[in-house]
Amino acid sequence: VHCARRFYENIVPSHTIYDIECPDLLFRKFSDDGQYLITFSRNHHDLIVYRPTWLSFSCKEQDCYAHDLPSKANKFESYFTQLYSVTLASSGELICKDFFLYSENNQFGIFATSAAQIQNAPAVGGAIQGIPSIEKITFHLVRLADGVVLDERVFCNDYINLAHSMGVFLYDDLLAIVSLRYQRIHILQIRDSGNLVDVRAIGEYCREDDELFLNSSAQASGTASRT
């Protein structure tokens, strides 16, 4: 007799649990593939990443709603497993809880820490008057699988809008960081090795040879005026 097995292609949750006992953390978001839950410590120093355990409890009875769930069903640890906790913020810096970018394959995550904002900072070194300054902004490239910090990029006495990642854009392996204080766009490449490599800075100069061309033109104009 030929028999065919029955197999469920999809298992859909059918019950909602409220008042879960959660750790005292700042919950940010899931990665697109649902493999990582990004959270931060309350003191804004540590990155803590969890992985969902997905289906945790099941019922084989006819009327599952008539049966109570076990007591551990109300605990956060029943649904998530902590992968790692890593300290990102150095002395005087805090993690920006509204900032998080990740590569398309979810291999790398980009996080930001920053020092306090200075409102009436003097406009020096080509800075724009009236734009606040942040003494130190650090971008951290983290391997999401194990929490290893592979590379960092530091901007000093600059202002980058980190709220909701408004001043930083990621396209494929190219990372664009907008400096409002110096009116400059820094373009970096994320290598497969986990390194951040400078590609170009667009601001007072757009092409690599613009500075040389303008200096040469200025010297030629000076020579012509003297003759």
Side-chain angles (χ1 to χ4, degrees):
V1 179
H2 175 72
C3 296
R5 291 189 187 185
R6 297 179 63 187
F7 184 78
Y8 290 99
E9 294 184 356
N10 298 284
I11 301 177
V12 181
S14 59
H15 192 80
T16 302
I17 302 177
Y18 300 93
D19 300 324
I20 298 294
E21 297 179 11
C22 294
D24 188 20
L25 300 171
L26 298 169
F27 293 89
R28 178 63 182 99
K29 67 178 296 183
F30 283 95
S31 59
D32 276 352
D33 60 0
Q35 294 298 313
Y36 304 103
L37 173 62
I38 307 301
T39 72
F40 304 117
S41 61
R42 283 288 179 179
N43 61 5
H44 295 82
H45 286 174
D46 305 322
L47 163 68
I48 305 167
V49 175
Y50 291 88
R51 173 162 288 166
T53 54
W54 301 117
L55 186 65
S56 301
F57 306 101
S58 62
C59 176
K60 298 180 181 179
E61 305 295 334
Q62 292 292 332
D63 186 10
C64 292
Y65 290 100
H67 299 272
D68 294 330
L69 289 172
S71 58
K72 63 179 182 179
N74 289 327
K75 296 185 180 298
F76 180 83
E77 292 76 14
S78 296
Y79 305 96
F80 295 93
T81 301
Q82 180 176 321
L83 294 181
Y84 51 83
S85 175
V86 57
T87 300
L88 295 182
S90 59
S91 177
E93 286 187 290
L94 297 174
I95 292 176
C96 178
K97 64 183 182 66
D98 293 327
F99 181 91
F100 170 49
L101 297 173
Y102 48 92
S103 57
E104 290 185 358
N105 57 7
N106 296 292
Q107 181 180 3
F108 304 118
I110 303 171
F111 302 88
T113 57
S114 66
Q117 182 174 305
I118 303 172
Q119 290 293 338
N120 298 318
V124 296
I128 302 300
Q129 185 69 37
I131 301 294
S133 176
I134 299 175
E135 182 179 356
K136 184 181 180 183
I137 303 171
T138 307
F139 293 95
H140 309 264
L141 184 67
V142 178
R143 189 165 56 205
L144 290 178
D146 53 14
V148 174
V149 180
L150 300 173
D151 204 350
E152 295 179 345
R153 185 55 51 93
V154 177
F155 294 84
C156 296
N157 301 314
D158 208 334
Y159 185 81
I160 299 166
N161 193 348
L162 299 176
H164 307 292
S165 309
M166 292 181 63
V168 185
F169 308 89
L170 180 62
Y171 178 75
D172 197 11
D173 62 346
L174 294 178
L175 183 69
I177 301 174
V178 180
S179 165
L180 294 178
R181 184 166 169 79
Y182 293 97
Q183 296 293 290
R184 190 175 299 156
I185 301 174
H186 300 271
I187 301 177
L188 291 77
Q189 184 182 31
I190 303 175
R191 296 287 178 85
D192 291 337
S193 58
N195 298 109
L196 293 171
V197 179
D198 291 315
V199 176
R200 181 172 297 177
I202 301 173
E204 62 267 42
Y205 306 112
C206 296
R207 298 181 179 274
E208 296 178 355
D209 58 347
D210 280 354
E211 184 177 8
L212 177 62
F213 176 78
L214 292 175
N215 289 337
S216 299
S217 299
Q219 293 176 1
S221 299
T223 302
S225 62
R226 286 196 297 271
T227 58

